[in-house]
Amino acid sequence: MTRIGILGYGNLGKGVELAIRQNDDMELAAVYTRRNPESVTIATEGVPVRSVADLETGKEDIDVLILCGGSATDLPEQTPKYAALYNVVDSFDTHANIPTHFAKVDEAAKAAGNTALISCGWDPGLFSLNRLYANCILPQGADYTFWGRGVSQGHSDALRRIPGVADARQYTIPVPEALKAVRSGSNPELTTRQKHTRECWVVLEEGADAEAVTKQIVEMPNYFDEYDVTVNFITQEELNRDHAGLPHGGLVIRTGKTAGDKNCKIEYSLELDSNPEFTACVLVCYARAIARLASEGNHGCKTVFDIAPAYLSAASGEELRAHML
Amino acid sequence: MTRIGILGYGNLGKGVELAIRQNDDMELAAVYTRRNPESVTIATEGVPVRSVADLETGKEDIDVLILCGGSATDLPEQTPKYAALYNVVDSFDTHANIPTHFAKVDEAAKAAGNTALISCGWDPGLFSLNRLYANCILPQGADYTFWGRGVSQGHSDALRRIPGVADARQYTIPVPEALKAVRSGSNPELTTRQKHTRECWVVLEEGADAEAVTKQIVEMPNYFDEYDVTVNFITQEELNRDHAGLPHGGLVIRTGKTAGDKNCKIEYSLELDSNPEFTACVLVCYARAIARLASEGNHGCKTVFDIAPAYLSAASGEELRAHML
């Protein structure tokens, strides 16, 4: 059995707890929290909730610690710290800062003789894998990544920070015409606006000015100003009823040509009713791989690029060759 | 530079020759043929065509030998034989015989200190990878593989063996309703007939009986009897004009549920204007990986499951993390 610790019991941590149940060779050892452990009730009976401080000894009985915090402030600090104490997996998703994060985690993990995986999930993660495979196979071509239709938690948070907004959900939606052009193999150059639209569902605070809120949304730099945005005002009741889920998904497409000038298209897509639960499924099978690499003495920081697919599976090489090849 | 030898100069061998041109770190060392080398002219100037007999010394100056023969009779003999002499890559695609083939190649490669890769291409190959990744991520779900629309060379050959048939092409086509049902997440159980149709374009020999040929086609065991088949008779001129290419493609779909009962769909698809040229592109980037594994002393037989994605790329880990993760 691979014993998993979860640090952080938000949407992703809860997803990891669920995902472990689908894998007979894994078990949840403990959930670690920054809150008072007695205030946290988890879904798995008989598994302790412990304080994050208990991790400091480096002696918790876990094979892999899955870090379920956020990329903005939690993971840049936590992953190097805990890679010095345990084998760890994170879902660090600030693409631009991956090289720095990798270097810190690699140094800590190597010094301690641990194995770490950063930036696991679906993007970065599965989408990255598909970009890499497709680029190696078709060196001459163009890459396209589309996200959605799905809830962007970052953009929903940005809406909620606007004065007068009580609650909100933001959906990112690929533009159908852009997708069609990409799939046609015409290798279009697409602007930000041409690729995705943003759909906002906003609950106003009492007395808030809808027009002023709309203006603030559509003009918000980086988040909305480069997109075609629709803003819909609804009641909290409607938001809770119709927009409670966290669905997401997207596509990675590479169109290219062989040296014989033949067109080829490789397309990978995800449709997920729950972004955090699916991301957790990815983290858990990569935690299996990390436990194995660690047991083989293969230490340091890894990414999904460094891990042979067979390591993700509980089945033997023989079984995989016989049934899945 | 990784020096590649090609054994067999048919469609696939020609595709490998082309694919090497798209990879600056690879070069074609020689093409080996069972024919009289002087009778074979290749597309690359300055590269020798040599006799297959020249391989026997084990001293040809090549890093990886890509075996471009057929799975029925060539590869079962060639791959173990040449794995004892060189690092090799093949596209052995008789799924049921993979375990036996693997064992023979593994034994030969290990004894000689070489590295071999079997069953590379897109199915087995990229489709297998996608089945594996998706199964590890979503342990509870159902797998669906569809092929086409594309030319099945095996079925085209079967048509040409019928008395009265001068030439023929067979297209395998996914049934749109089946695809729709799978994508809906309803996890349908589909019969062979429900998944694919087969479309035949047949040139009759002079005086042949169209009705008798049609009957032979639709009743042919394994190849056609379990499918809905359409048979179209055309002239050789029309066949040459409209059906000269070897397009193919297909889809791998896994639909599943998280332990929280949320639906997820993972879909991977290929659309290829040239099946052999694309397959060759896959073989060539895996040849890069095999050369690296060999140089690291990682010997024996591998499949795509055993190879970390980063090994396929000429770029460094740093470059991949910065630009593709």
Side-chain angles (χ1 to χ4, degrees):
Chain A
M1 297 295 272
T2 300
R3 290 174 59 80
I4 303 292
I6 295 172
L7 174 53
Y9 196 63
N11 285 328
L12 185 58
K14 289 173 187 170
V16 170
E17 180 182 27
L18 286 171
I20 290 169
R21 297 183 185 175
Q22 292 186 319
N23 292 277
D24 295 339
D25 61 328
M26 329 260 308
E27 64 182 330
L28 179 59
V31 170
Y32 298 88
T33 178
R34 287 179 290 199
R35 290 177 271 171
N36 172 3
E38 285 173 21
S39 73
V40 177
T41 306
I42 65 170
T44 311
E45 267 187 48
V47 170
V49 179
R50 293 170 62 75
S51 163
V52 66
D54 293 325
L55 286 167
E56 308 272 335
T57 62
K59 297 196 173 156
E60 292 291 288
D61 181 20
I62 51 179
D63 296 308
V64 183
L65 180 65
I66 302 184
L67 303 168
C68 298
S71 296
T73 56
D74 298 333
L75 300 176
E77 187 214 324
Q78 288 176 348
T79 315
K81 175 176 176 177
Y82 294 111
L85 299 167
Y86 304 95
N87 302 312
V88 297
V89 171
D90 84 15
S91 60
F92 184 77
D93 67 359
T94 312
H95 289 258
N97 298 341
I98 285 173
T100 307
H101 189 59
F102 181 90
K104 286 184 190 167
V105 176
D106 193 45
E107 191 186 346
K110 277 189 179 144
N114 289 324
T115 308
L117 176 69
I118 62 160
S119 301
C120 186
W122 60 273
D123 194 4
L126 303 179
F127 276 17
S128 321
L129 281 173
N130 276 280
R131 286 188 284 264
L132 176 56
Y133 277 116
N135 274 270
C136 294
I137 294 161
L138 297 174
Q140 287 169 23
D143 286 313
Y144 299 90
T145 302
F146 291 91
W147 296 275
R149 173 185 176 103
V151 172
S152 165
Q153 297 184 60
H155 287 79
S156 300
D157 290 344
L159 293 177
R160 282 189 288 262
R161 285 193 295 266
I162 296 173
V165 172
D167 202 352
R169 272 284 194 284
Q170 193 269 190
Y171 295 89
T172 307
I173 306 165
V175 174
E177 293 74 23
L179 255 179
K180 199 176 160 191
V182 167
R183 284 176 169 151
S184 78
S186 68
N187 289 7
E189 290 202 21
L190 297 166
T191 63
T192 298
R193 191 179 300 275
Q194 286 171 320
K195 285 183 72 184
H196 296 94
T197 52
R198 299 199 175 277
E199 185 183 286
C200 306
W201 298 85
V202 176
V203 180
L204 289 176
E205 286 172 356
E206 221 179 290
D209 177 350
E211 213 170 305
V213 167
T214 300
K215 187 167 150 56
Q216 282 219 50
I217 294 172
V218 301
E219 293 179 357
M220 193 187 297
N222 303 317
Y223 282 89
F224 293 102
D225 65 337
E226 293 176 38
Y227 297 86
D228 289 336
V229 180
T230 56
V231 182
N232 308 281
F233 293 100
I234 54 175
T235 65
Q236 184 75 53
E237 202 170 42
E238 288 167 326
L239 190 84
N240 296 348
R241 185 191 66 204
D242 301 334
H243 304 283
L246 292 169
H248 218 318
L251 309 98
V252 174
I253 302 175
R254 186 167 175 85
T255 52
K257 279 184 189 293
T258 66
D261 205 35
K262 303 295 197 305
N263 290 311
C264 300
K265 183 170 73 71
I266 305 177
E267 179 169 333
Y268 181 78
S269 67
L270 297 173
E271 277 182 40
L272 315 171
D273 278 0
S274 168
N275 182 358
E277 288 186 23
F278 181 81
T279 300
C281 291
V282 181
L283 295 180
V284 166
C285 66
Y286 271 97
R288 175 186 291 123
I290 289 303
R292 284 194 189 163
L293 289 173
S295 73
E296 294 174 7
N298 191 336
H299 300 143
C301 188
K302 314 290 174 189
T303 74
V304 293
F305 296 159
D306 304 311
I307 296 179
Y311 278 83
L312 304 185
S313 172
S316 69
E318 267 137 358
E319 288 170 311
L320 295 179
R321 286 189 294 274
H323 302 298
M324 221 158 293
L325 198 60
Chain B
M1 297 294 273
T2 301
R3 292 174 57 79
I4 303 291
I6 294 171
L7 174 53
Y9 196 64
N11 285 328
L12 185 59
K14 289 173 186 169
V16 170
E17 180 183 26
L18 285 170
I20 290 168
R21 296 182 186 175
Q22 293 186 318
N23 292 277
D24 296 340
D25 61 328
M26 328 260 308
E27 65 181 330
L28 179 60
V31 170
Y32 299 88
T33 178
R34 287 178 291 200
R35 291 176 271 172
N36 174 2
E38 285 172 21
S39 74
V40 176
T41 305
I42 66 170
T44 312
E45 266 188 49
V47 169
V49 179
R50 295 172 60 75
S51 164
V52 65
D54 293 325
L55 286 167
E56 309 271 334
T57 63
K59 296 194 175 161
E60 292 292 288
D61 181 21
I62 51 179
D63 296 307
V64 183
L65 179 65
I66 301 184
L67 303 168
C68 299
S71 295
T73 56
D74 297 333
L75 299 176
E77 189 214 325
Q78 289 176 350
T79 314
K81 176 176 176 177
Y82 294 111
L85 299 167
Y86 304 95
N87 303 311
V88 297
V89 170
D90 83 14
S91 61
F92 184 77
D93 67 357
T94 313
H95 289 257
N97 297 341
I98 285 174
T100 307
H101 189 58
F102 181 90
K104 285 184 190 167
V105 175
D106 193 47
E107 191 185 347
K110 277 188 179 145
N114 289 324
T115 308
L117 175 70
I118 62 161
S119 302
C120 187
W122 59 273
D123 195 3
L126 303 179
F127 276 17
S128 321
L129 282 173
N130 277 279
R131 285 188 284 264
L132 176 56
Y133 277 116
N135 273 269
C136 294
I137 293 162
L138 296 174
Q140 287 170 24
D143 286 312
Y144 299 90
T145 302
F146 290 91
W147 296 275
R149 171 186 176 105
V151 172
S152 164
Q153 297 183 62
H155 287 79
S156 299
D157 289 344
L159 293 176
R160 282 188 288 263
R161 285 194 294 267
I162 296 172
V165 172
D167 202 352
R169 271 286 192 285
Q170 194 268 191
Y171 294 89
T172 306
I173 305 166
V175 174
E177 292 75 21
L179 255 179
K180 200 177 159 190
V182 167
R183 284 175 170 153
S184 78
S186 68
N187 289 7
E189 288 203 21
L190 298 165
T191 63
T192 298
R193 189 178 302 274
Q194 285 171 320
K195 285 185 70 185
H196 296 93
T197 52
R198 298 197 175 279
E199 184 183 286
C200 306
W201 298 86
V202 176
V203 181
L204 289 176
E205 286 172 356
E206 220 178 292
D209 177 350
E211 211 170 306
V213 166
T214 300
K215 187 168 150 55
Q216 281 219 48
I217 294 172
V218 301
E219 293 178 356
M220 193 186 297
N222 304 317
Y223 283 88
F224 292 102
D225 64 338
E226 293 176 38
Y227 297 86
D228 287 336
V229 180
T230 55
V231 182
N232 307 282
F233 294 101
I234 55 175
T235 65
Q236 184 74 54
E237 203 170 42
E238 289 168 325
L239 190 84
N240 296 348
R241 185 191 64 203
D242 302 332
H243 304 283
L246 293 169
H248 219 318
L251 308 99
V252 174
I253 301 173
R254 186 166 175 86
T255 52
K257 279 184 189 294
T258 65
D261 205 35
K262 303 294 196 307
N263 289 312
C264 299
K265 182 170 75 68
I266 304 176
E267 178 168 333
Y268 181 79
S269 67
L270 297 173
E271 277 183 39
L272 315 170
D273 278 1
S274 169
N275 182 358
E277 287 186 23
F278 181 81
T279 300
C281 290
V282 182
L283 295 179
V284 165
C285 67
Y286 272 98
R288 175 185 292 123
I290 289 301
R292 284 194 189 165
L293 289 173
S295 73
E296 293 174 7
N298 191 337
H299 299 143
C301 187
K302 314 290 175 190
T303 74
V304 292
F305 296 158
D306 304 310
I307 297 179
Y311 278 84
L312 305 184
S313 172
S316 70
E318 266 137 359
E319 289 170 311
L320 294 179
R321 285 189 296 273
H323 302 298
M324 222 160 290
L325 197 61

